[in-house]
Amino acid sequence: MSKDFRRTIGVLRASAIALALVASACEQKPDVGAMQRHFTEHPAPPPDVTSVPSDDRIMAVLTSPPNVPPPTNRTKPARVVVKLTVKEVVMPMADGVQYSYWTFGGTVPGSFIRVRQGDVVEFHLQNDATSTMPHNIDLHAVTGPGGGAASSFTAPGHASQFTFRALNPGLFVYHCATAPVPMHVANGMYGLILVEPPGGLPPVDREYYVMEGDFYTKGKYHAKGLQAFDMDKGIEERPTYVVFNGAEGSLLGDKSLKAYVGDSVRIFFGVGGPNLTSSFHVIGEVFDRVYMEGGTHYQENVQTTMVPAGGSAILDFRVQVPGAYALVDHSLFRAFNQGAVGTLKVSGPEDKLLYSGKQEDSLAEKEQAPQAPVLVDSAPPSTLTRDERIAAGKTLFASTCSACHQATGSGLPGSIPPLAGSDFLVKNDKERVIGVVLNGLSGPVKVNGTSFNSVMPTWNHLTNDELANVLTYVLNSWGNPGGEVAPAEIAKVRGSGAI
Amino acid sequence: MFSRCLAHVLACVTVLTGAAHAAPRPLKAPAGMVMVGPGVYRPLYPASPAERLVSVRRFYLDARPVTNGEFLTFVRAQPEWRRDRAPRLLADDGYLTHWAAADALGRDVRSASPVTNVSWFAAKAYCAARSARLPSEREWELAALASENARDASSDPAFVARILDFYSRPALAASLRDVGSGKPNLYGVYDLHGLVWEWIYDFSASLVAVDSREKGEADRNRFCGATGASAQTPSDYAAFMRVAFRSSLEAAYTTSRLGFRCAADLEETP
């Protein structure tokens, strides 16, 4: 026993020495000279960076994307406490697709942190007890070795704390820097920290938080189930998904960003990577101001801004015309085939002087008449006969619905219910059928005696006319009972006469 | 020429038989252990240029990780290792917290599942009670190189991918599966991959930089390690994760996915 005890003490002493060695070898003392050089080389240092804030501590307000904490509204630097917990969680990456994300605060991107230049930030990083991996954090806002990574390296179930001074204002990326770093980042370990300049940023009506990231899964795009990380695709920079805020559809439908006509909107935009840069663009908008790379100066009247991996930009613009505006990576295959699309929905009164909507629709002068009747949004519903509706619906069905339900309406065995000779269309009233197309359908459903359990997305972005056409086409095809659906009936189920 | 060869062979035979005779014990594995090695292991971060290839002598290794049931027996025999008696200096607040009581597993903890939430000190004491020890990093890594049918499967993409899949899987259920329910590797060792992390004796010597991208100067490599750039096999992400995991630990730490198994020397050490 006593021998064991001596051995234990010996080991303790040895570990203490080892730890001391590690500490002295790994941690560098703050280089005061460098700090002074920093300020002499930067001619206009904000005077309050050099003053020490009082001992009172302020808890930082952290928010989940797409929300942003309120401005600090402080005239002086303060001691700010940030508490962030790393969690490994399974969340959807797309419909029916799950992924095991590693997160700062349970979301991708991680919680938004907002401080002011000169603040002394007391940073607490906790690694949840259920984590498999050790993690740490490198904040690009930190002036110091590793951006805090060395001081925040934390085993599962443990916590670390370090303090830094927010010397430079700007919008900065933070991320995990634990080996293998690219994998930790590819699993969603990034977020943004805003260091406000003295006086803050110009006030706006709405602020949003959006980050783009690339993801690498074993299965192909939209392959269902829990998807594992694919290291080979990561190394080859062949992402399966390129998405905003961690998942396809995280800024679509009910989760779209919202604004009202006349609002000034600010997007704090960052790119987590790990590999791709973003050509960020909002379709139908021009950025009034872009604080390039998240820095101090802005460019004006920008269409598309380039944001590097591990970089950011602050985008200010005013919305004047109601409608849906798509946020895209203008490397467009990413938007169309890998998920990099979101929506900003602007509501409010139209101003026809700013944007008229379609004013005329006619045949192009030298074109032959098209095979099928052309349907336009503005066409009054009454001008279409049932047969014209069927023809227009056929075209829309072929381009939109047939991918799943098949051109023959047969569906796919085991996953997509048939529309051909479908007893669902006979048994249910029109309103129910319209509701399914508008609102989508998930969960078990029985069609022609076979049970299906998959997900039909919502199609409420189609106009009432389009939906009326496609449903009329379906009702009059493949042995279905026939009939007609009018745009007014769609509008009634939709709950408003809009669109 | 022939005689020289013969001399070599004879010399070898002499050494081998001599060694066998010198050992007081026959070459019989202790209970629950199997023989592993000898072999060569390529450390991710060589301690020095001369140590890019490290030869590992034969040793005995537990075929399975230590289970909750086995650790309970130990704690009952050495009550100073109960969670309510072990000093926090030797085992942190998480020590055996998943058990229902200090001396009982409770309903939710399977006796045959690997024990976790144990500190290095506790693991070491357990092995010592069995006249064994914790495996060294090189021993553990040598055993872990083997697949079901190859001693060194590190270049078998399927094997490497399988390990990485485990690391990228979420730590879901609170209860871990029983030890030994998969297939053993070529040496007869189960669960080196796919169940829990495992303590090794010299975990703190494998310290890489806590900031794992740091390009440490040569003299700091020993303690702070280096980046992927200085690693021998930068695409072996699973190895990176093990090294990173070990680096994040201190000897009193416990985590919900960290267990251990014991090893023993083949010959009696003087």
Side-chain angles (χ1 to χ4, degrees), chain A residues 179-362:
Chain A
V181 187
M183 180 175 175
H184 282 254
V185 173
N187 283 345
M189 296 200 77
Y190 47 78
L192 289 177
I193 175 171
L194 173 69
V195 181
E196 294 178 352
L201 292 168
V204 290
D205 297 312
R206 292 167 196 275
E207 291 183 327
Y208 288 115
Y209 171 24
V210 178
M211 281 189 89
E212 182 174 324
D214 29 306
F215 290 88
Y216 304 82
T217 63
K218 280 268 151 57
K220 287 183 172 172
Y221 176 66
H222 280 186
K224 304 293 184 208
L226 181 62
Q227 290 294 322
F229 168 69
D230 189 317
M231 192 188 67
D232 291 334
K233 285 186 187 171
I235 291 172
E236 290 162 18
E237 304 195 10
R238 277 193 298 120
T240 326
Y241 292 86
V242 182
V243 293
F244 297 128
N245 289 1
E248 185 173 52
S250 63
L251 297 175
L252 292 176
D254 292 345
K255 291 178 277 184
S256 297
L257 306 180
K258 290 172 187 68
Y260 197 78
V261 165
D263 280 350
S264 49
V265 177
R266 172 173 294 146
I267 296 176
F268 294 107
F269 184 78
V271 176
N275 287 326
L276 300 189
T277 61
S278 175
S279 304
F280 189 65
H281 177 78
V282 176
I283 299 176
E285 267 299 340
V286 176
F287 302 129
D288 298 328
R289 285 181 180 182
V290 173
Y291 294 80
M292 301 154 293
E293 295 161 3
T296 305
H297 298 290
Y298 57 80
Q299 169 67 291
E300 292 176 303
N301 304 318
V302 174
Q303 54 191 313
T304 300
T305 190
M306 191 76 203
V307 183
S312 71
I314 303 171
L315 316 165
D316 287 6
F317 54 101
R318 189 173 291 280
V319 291
Q320 290 103 333
V321 177
Y325 295 82
L327 283 60
V328 296
D329 182 332
H330 217 293
S331 294
L332 286 173
F333 278 102
R334 300 176 187 171
F336 278 76
N337 303 90
Q338 294 177 308
V341 63
T343 314
L344 167 68
K345 281 188 178 162
V346 178
S347 54
E350 289 187 55
D351 181 344
K352 294 285 186 190
L353 278 179
L354 290 179
Y355 188 74
S356 71
K358 194 161 203 170
Q359 289 175 307
E360 192 186 322
D361 189 278
S362 58

Side-chain angles (χ1 to χ4, degrees), chain A residues 133-195:
Chain A
M133 298 291 159
H135 298 289
N136 63 3
I137 192 166
D138 166 352
L139 300 114
H140 292 177
V142 169
T143 304
S151 315
S152 60
F153 191 44
T154 310
H158 292 79
S160 303
Q161 189 255 313
F162 69 103
T163 301
F164 69 93
R165 193 100 199 240
L167 295 178
N168 299 71
L171 181 62
F172 299 96
V173 168
Y174 66 77
H175 63 91
C176 184
T178 299
V181 187
M183 180 175 175
H184 282 254
V185 173
N187 283 345
M189 296 200 77
Y190 47 78
L192 289 177
I193 175 171
L194 173 69
V195 181

Side-chain angles (χ1 to χ4, degrees), chain A residues 11-12 22 25-26 90 100 129-130 132-134 136 138 146 149-150 153 155-156 158 175 177-183 218 231, chain B residues 92 120-121 164-165 167-168 170-171 197 207 210-213 220 223-224 235 237 240-241 244-245 247-248 253-256:
Chain A
V11 168
L12 272 176
V22 169
C26 295
V90 175
S100 177
T130 60
T132 311
M133 298 291 159
N136 63 3
D138 166 352
F153 191 44
H158 292 79
H175 63 91
T178 299
V181 187
M183 180 175 175
K218 280 268 151 57
M231 192 188 67
Chain B
D92 70 14
W120 180 86
F121 291 111
L164 193 64
D165 282 356
Y167 289 124
S168 43
W197 301 103
L207 269 177
V210 277
D211 176 356
S212 49
R213 307 149 302 173
R220 292 170 67 191
F223 299 102
C224 299
S235 58
Y237 273 27
F240 270 112
M241 279 185 264
F245 186 86
S247 311
S248 77
Y253 276 17
T254 68
T255 93
S256 61

Side-chain angles (χ1 to χ4, degrees), chain B:
Chain B
M1 190 63 184
F2 172 76
S3 62
R4 258 177 78 187
C5 279
L6 187 63
H8 269 290
V9 171
L10 284 175
C12 285
V13 169
T14 313
V15 167
L16 277 176
T17 49
H21 283 300
R25 277 196 217 160
L27 290 176
K28 186 171 180 299
M33 292 193 175
V34 295
M35 193 166 70
V36 176
V40 173
Y41 149 66
R42 288 160 56 89
L44 187 63
Y45 295 103
S48 73
E51 293 169 86
R52 290 191 184 281
L53 294 176
V54 176
S55 61
V56 185
R57 289 159 45 145
R58 288 187 297 179
F59 65 102
Y60 292 120
L61 185 65
D62 273 344
R64 296 167 181 77
V66 174
T67 65
N68 281 298
E70 288 163 347
F71 203 79
L72 179 65
T73 306
F74 161 72
V75 164
R76 283 178 175 157
Q78 296 196 21
E80 68 268 28
W81 283 106
R82 287 162 53 109
R83 72 180 185 199
D84 54 354
R85 297 195 196 161
R88 292 296 84 129
L89 195 61
L90 303 184
D92 70 14
D93 287 337
Y95 179 54
L96 298 177
T97 42
H98 62 300
W99 288 6
D103 61 351
L105 304 184
R107 276 186 176 187
D108 298 336
V109 177
R110 304 162 67 88
S111 173
S113 68
V115 67
T116 56
N117 290 320
V118 285
S119 69
W120 180 86
F121 291 111
K124 188 170 162 288
Y126 174 94
C127 292
R130 282 175 51 192
S131 304
R133 57 178 174 79
L134 287 170
S136 66
E137 179 180 43
R138 60 180 62 180
E139 287 171 340
W140 195 97
E141 291 289 342
L142 180 78
L145 272 179
S147 65
E148 286 93 339
N149 40 34
R151 280 168 165 256
D152 182 353
S154 60
S155 52
D156 171 358
F159 178 72
V160 173
R162 211 169 67 209
I163 298 171
L164 193 64
D165 282 356
F166 159 63
Y167 289 124
S168 43
R169 225 180 298 147
L172 288 171
S175 65
L176 292 157
R177 69 166 168 78
D178 292 353
V179 302
S181 44
K183 278 187 184 169
N185 72 9
L186 196 70
Y187 298 114
V189 185
Y190 292 81
D191 302 321
L192 285 163
H193 305 290
L195 189 55
V196 286
W197 301 103
E198 295 184 16
W199 280 109
I200 52 171
Y201 180 78
D202 48 350
F203 74 96
S204 66
S206 70
L207 269 177
V208 289
V210 277
D211 176 356
S212 49
R213 307 149 302 173
E214 202 171 283
K215 295 204 189 233
E217 297 88 83
D219 60 334
R220 292 170 67 191
N221 268 355
R222 182 82 208 183
F223 299 102
C224 299
T227 58
S230 70
Q232 293 209 77
T233 45
S235 58
D236 190 350
Y237 273 27
F240 270 112
M241 279 185 264
R242 286 197 295 273
V243 172
F245 186 86
R246 289 167 192 155
S247 311
S248 77
L249 298 172
E250 291 181 30
Y253 276 17
T254 68
T255 93
S256 61
R257 285 290 182 277
L258 174 58
F260 72 101
R261 72 179 76 214
C262 304
D265 294 330
L266 200 62
E267 288 91 11
E268 198 84 281
T269 43

